Amino acid sequence: MPNDHTRRTVFRFSAAAAAGTAAATRLGGAAPAAEATARAVPAGSSVEITLSVNGERRRVAVEPRVTLLDALRERLRLTGTKKGCDRGECGACTVLVDGERIKSCLTLAVMRQGAEITTVEGLARGEELHPVQAAFIRHDAFQCGGCTPGQIMSAVACISEGNTGSDAEIRESMSGNLCRCAAYQNIVAAVADAAKEMGR
Ligand code: FES
Ligand code: FES
């Protein structure tokens, strides 16, 4: 996924947050404010941050080591974003950050201040489902539903990236999202149909 942080990046950042060392500079320009926050906060302490989620600014107290996934689910009670593997392998935790999909278990909440975060709860407009959500229902593109919020968020990005020229292209673009129920055929059909509906 584009702009996705690797697990190693997260570990580096967490270590720097705990030790207050200059190791965080290895992150480059990714999150200077978060880096400064981490340095200023003793290990085990929380810091209050503001996250912009689904168009709302939300204040939340988190330790610098808390992932965006845990901040969303456990602090903000936005449990639509699922925790599957918690190590960057399944895609169940996919959200959009400034329009790009990321695995929220691989990024820290403090690094995402100032970004616009969209979760599956932010897609529908009142009673009107997002075209991708509607297409997933039309095509019966889920069984247990465990992977579905992540699949839907990834599909929204796949479509906006223009990766829907063929089933093979959709499969490739969605390959970071696993489905243990193997509903892949229906998922691809839903993404293709939603793309058509959205004029992409
Ligand atoms: Fe994040 Fe599996 S929970 S990739
Ligand atoms: Fe069950 Fe995908 S629908 S894991």
Side-chain angles (χ1 to χ4, degrees):
M1 289 183 186
N3 281 352
D4 212 349
H5 289 280
T6 65
R7 186 164 176 77
R8 181 173 301 173
T9 305
V10 171
F11 284 157
R12 266 188 200 151
F13 188 83
S14 297
T21 68
T25 55
R26 291 182 208 171
L27 286 165
E35 186 185 322
T37 301
R39 281 212 194 94
V41 177
S45 301
S46 292
V47 59
E48 205 160 289
I49 62 171
T50 302
L51 294 174
S52 182
V53 186
N54 300 330
E56 268 183 53
R57 288 170 65 77
R58 309 277 303 266
R59 299 282 290 171
V60 59
V62 291
E63 287 180 40
R65 66 183 176 84
V66 168
T67 63
L68 177 60
L69 173 61
D70 285 342
L72 290 170
R73 287 182 56 83
E74 291 166 20
R75 309 302 204 280
L76 298 178
R77 302 291 169 209
L78 290 168
T79 54
T81 304
K82 301 304 179 199
K83 183 184 280 192
C85 63
D86 204 21
R87 57 185 186 198
E89 292 172 359
C90 72
C93 64
T94 304
V95 298
L96 304 184
V97 171
D98 291 333
E100 295 193 341
R101 52 187 154 168
I102 65 161
K103 292 174 176 172
S104 60
C105 69
L106 289 187
T107 190
L108 299 173
V110 294
M111 296 168 72
R112 298 304 175 176
Q113 293 186 87
E116 187 52 52
I117 299 158
T118 307
T119 70
V120 72
E121 290 94 341
L123 289 185
R125 293 286 162 260
E127 293 297 301
E128 190 187 336
L129 292 178
H130 186 283
V132 172
Q133 293 174 306
F136 266 63
I137 293 171
R138 264 198 316 278
H139 288 270
D140 207 13
F142 48 84
Q143 289 180 39
C144 77
C147 71
T148 309
Q151 299 279 3
I152 287 174
M153 298 313 293
S154 204
V156 170
C158 167
I159 292 168
S160 72
E161 290 160 13
N163 294 326
T164 54
S166 65
D167 284 2
E169 199 178 344
I170 293 171
R171 279 183 188 277
E172 170 65 25
S173 179
M174 298 285 294
S175 61
N177 291 79
L178 306 183
C179 175
R180 277 175 299 179
C181 301
Y184 294 111
Q185 203 168 326
N186 299 37
I187 291 169
V188 170
V191 176
D193 194 14
K196 204 166 5 153
E197 188 118 320
M198 294 166 73
R200 303 300 294 257

